[in-house]
Structures are given as C-alpha cells and as structure tokens.
Amino acid sequence: MLFMENGSKLLEELITCCKDKCRCNPIRGFSAKQVLEATNYFQSYCYSTDTYYKWYKGTMDDRPVLIKKYHLNDNNEAYRDIAISSQMSSQKNVLKLLGCCLEFSRPALVYEDAENGPLSNTGGIDFNSLSLSWNMRLKVAKEMAYTITYLHTAFTRPIIHRNIKPTNIFLGKDYLPKLCDFSFSISIPEGETQVEDLVTAGTFGFVDPSYFTTTIITEHTDVYSFGVFLHVLLTGQCAIDFSRHEIEQNICFYVANLVEKKQFKEIVDPKILEEEGGISREKELQLQAFLSLALACTKEEREERPLMIDVAKQLLKIERAAC
C-alpha cells in the first residue's frame, strides 16, 4: 500500500521534473528489508544536517552507502529530491543517488558513500572537527560554483537549488566536494527569468532577503546563498551565531562591519593565517579577491549580484593566481 502511494507521487514528480527532454537516470528500487538490514534497523545514525531527514551509514551489495531517511515530507520534498538527484547523478560533484525505498511511510534514499562526510556549519570536516586548508576551501568553492552553474544552465528550465549551505556538501574520496539535497529545488519556466513561490524554502541565514520579501525566485537567489557559503569558508564561522553582537549575528553583517573598519585580518579564519608559510602577498591577494566576490554575491539588490557562471569563472581565476 505504501509502495503504491509513494510510487504514484514519485511518478508525478518525475513527469514534472523530467519533461522537455530532460533525462532522468534509472532509479533502483530497494526493499524495506534491505534498508533495515543495511542500517541495523536505523541504529547506524551518523549525521543530522536538516530537520526533514537523517543520514545513516550502511552496506549494500558489499559496498558502503549513505542512506537518507525522511521523517518529514509535508510538501513532497523527498520526491523532488529523488527526481532532481536522478537528473544530476552523472555529475562528478553531485552525491550519486543509487536508488530509493518507497516501502516506509516516507521515502529512504540510498547514495554512494562519501568518506569524509558533510561539511560542518563552519565549513570544516564535520566528523572530526578538522578545518580545511585555504587551497582546499578554494577548490570546494570553485567546484560547487560550476555545479550550481550546471543546474542553472544545462536544462531548458533552469533549476534553482534554494538550499545551498555547508552541510549539503559532502566530501568524498580525495576530498572531492559533492552537492546533495534537492528537496527545495524549483524550476524556472522555459523562456522566463523568474518564478514565484509563496512558501519560502531554505535555511535561516542563507535565504536571499529579496526572495524572502518578494517570494520571487531567480538565479540570483542561489547566488546569494552561495555568497553566504563563501563567507563561511573565509571566516570559519557559522552563518548565524547568536554569540556574536546582536547586529552581527548574521555573518554578512559581521563581515561588512569589519570591512567598514578595514580589519581584513579579523575577517579571515585564524587557521588560514596560521598555515605553514604564513600569508604571502599572493595569498593575501587571493583572500581579498575571495572576500570581494563573497560581498558581490550577497548584495542586497539581486540585480547587482553576478550570475553563477561569472562566480565560477572568478573563483577559477583566483585559484590559478596561486600557480
């Protein structure tokens, strides 16, 4: 009964998401028995990165996997996640969806394993609280920028992620970043530049303020969230931190205040400043360019923000400046 009900809803979502010649990769079906055995009856809990689901580690067919079990699915977020993930699974910087189980009251999604888990709220490695080197932070930012650019440009109807944040980026082998969680994704109608959604989706601290006030979604909605992510990578701090001064609890205001005071070194994560070799002139220029890009992405007026393709190109330019 649950399989038929969930399967019907998933089929509707697949038809909606994969029309206009968009190709969905095959979605393997897993049984409840397989998922329960793989997770030791959901005792192998490992990550909680969102209020809608939990992550579990498991083994299927003698290979390690990650299983995302939804416990909330009020607006069919899980079906949208499956549908968009299936379209994106061939991308190297997207966590690959292997299949799903529709035999529970809410779906369970089965992914390839990501050895190093999700990024933490401060942009480090979550499971062992290690920070990333500056070069690794720059690589993660660049790879994610090109992945989001693909979302925006590869389809006849641009896909807006709407929930870009550190904990939705996993680190696989060799710390290759992989984007996941397309549960809030929405498509812009073909030939249009925006779409409206009265239900604001996203994570507090990363939501574009112009989207929040107007309910209008454009490509710049993701650019703002990505800009907040750049702030997190640069500072090593959370997007929202109630321990900071009241007007600086939002990281964008925190950084803007330090920029106004010309306290550049107060902005940068001390762990970057303490790296072997110190801060060379080239590295300082990289950091300043990275900061300027983060500020451009989070401009209040969305029309003043760059497009994601330009963000990706700028990050590549910054990365190559170190060569």
Side-chain angles (χ1 to χ4, degrees):
M1 185 67 178
L2 286 172
F3 177 83
M4 295 297 292
E5 182 180 339
N6 287 327
S8 176
K9 292 178 180 178
L10 175 58
L11 182 58
E12 288 179 16
E13 192 64 48
L14 287 169
I15 292 171
T16 299
C17 292
C18 300
K19 65 181 181 180
D20 302 326
K21 299 182 181 179
C22 290
R23 182 177 180 273
C24 289
N25 293 312
I27 303 171
R28 179 180 172 182
F30 292 96
S31 68
K33 182 175 182 290
Q34 286 176 295
V35 171
L36 290 170
E37 289 179 350
T39 61
N40 191 24
Y41 289 78
F42 295 118
Q43 297 301 308
S44 61
Y45 160 75
C46 55
Y47 312 118
S48 182
T49 62
D50 199 277
T51 57
Y52 284 79
Y53 51 76
K54 289 183 179 179
W55 289 94
Y56 301 85
K57 276 197 173 283
T59 302
M60 284 187 171
D61 301 328
D62 296 321
R63 65 184 291 189
V65 295
L66 286 172
I67 296 175
K68 178 198 287 187
K69 177 65 173 67
Y70 273 83
H71 52 86
L72 291 175
N73 190 33
D74 299 336
N75 295 303
N76 294 332
E77 293 87 0
Y79 308 118
R80 173 59 55 92
D81 198 1
I82 295 169
I84 302 297
S85 292
S86 72
Q87 289 179 254
M88 295 292 292
S89 280
S90 61
Q91 298 300 305
K92 70 181 179 68
N93 289 116
V94 170
L95 193 64
K96 185 176 181 180
L97 178 72
L98 302 177
C100 64
C101 176
L102 303 177
E103 296 178 10
F104 300 106
S105 59
R106 295 175 179 86
L109 284 62
V110 181
Y111 292 88
E112 65 176 355
D113 187 32
E115 291 91 330
N116 293 292
L119 292 178
S120 67
N121 287 318
T122 57
I125 301 176
D126 190 47
F127 76 88
N128 57 15
S129 300
L130 288 178
S131 65
L132 298 176
S133 68
W134 165 240
N135 287 338
M136 184 57 66
R137 298 182 205 209
L138 191 51
K139 176 184 176 181
V140 168
K142 181 201 68 177
E143 298 286 350
M144 285 299 97
Y146 276 105
T147 302
I148 298 160
T149 296
Y150 184 87
L151 269 177
H152 290 184
T153 61
F155 306 99
T156 55
R157 296 179 299 148
I159 299 172
I160 310 304
H161 189 280
R162 281 204 294 180
N163 202 19
I164 299 165
K165 59 180 180 178
T167 54
N168 279 339
I169 298 169
F170 280 66
L171 297 178
K173 187 178 180 181
D174 298 325
Y175 298 96
L176 184 70
K178 294 178 178 288
L179 181 66
C180 69
D181 189 11
F182 299 94
S183 55
F184 290 156
S185 295
I186 190 170
S187 298
I188 296 177
E190 186 176 357
E192 301 292 331
T193 59
Q194 63 184 42
V195 65
E196 185 172 12
D197 188 358
L198 298 178
V199 179
T200 303
T203 299
F204 182 50
F206 291 87
V207 176
D208 173 11
S210 60
Y211 159 46
F212 186 80
T213 55
T214 66
T215 69
I216 298 296
I217 300 161
T218 71
E219 292 179 27
H220 293 107
T221 303
D222 274 352
V223 173
Y224 181 90
S225 301
F226 189 79
V228 178
F229 174 55
L230 295 183
H231 278 72
V232 171
L233 288 177
L234 183 63
T235 64
Q237 297 195 35
C238 295
I240 297 293
D241 188 342
F242 294 109
S243 69
R244 293 194 290 256
H245 189 276
E246 185 176 358
I247 62 172
E248 296 182 343
Q249 290 175 356
N250 182 300
I251 198 170
C252 294
F253 295 121
Y254 166 74
V255 170
N257 187 41
L258 291 174
V259 168
E260 187 176 345
K261 295 177 181 177
K262 298 182 179 179
Q263 295 178 327
F264 173 68
K265 288 191 176 180
E266 297 297 319
I267 296 171
V268 180
D269 185 350
K271 292 177 181 177
I272 294 176
L273 301 176
E274 295 165 2
E275 286 180 5
E276 185 178 354
I279 300 296
S280 63
R281 179 58 180 163
E282 291 78 10
K283 189 171 184 179
E284 183 176 351
L285 290 174
Q286 273 190 316
L287 291 165
Q288 289 175 344
F290 194 91
L291 171 60
S292 296
L293 182 60
L295 294 172
C297 290
T298 51
K299 284 183 178 291
E300 188 170 345
E301 295 297 326
R302 60 181 167 219
E303 292 78 11
E304 296 181 9
R305 302 171 201 153
L307 290 172
M308 208 65 228
I309 181 61
D310 297 317
V311 175
K313 289 177 179 178
Q314 183 62 22
L315 284 167
L316 178 60
K317 182 177 178 182
I318 294 170
E319 184 182 53
R320 286 178 172 174
C323 300

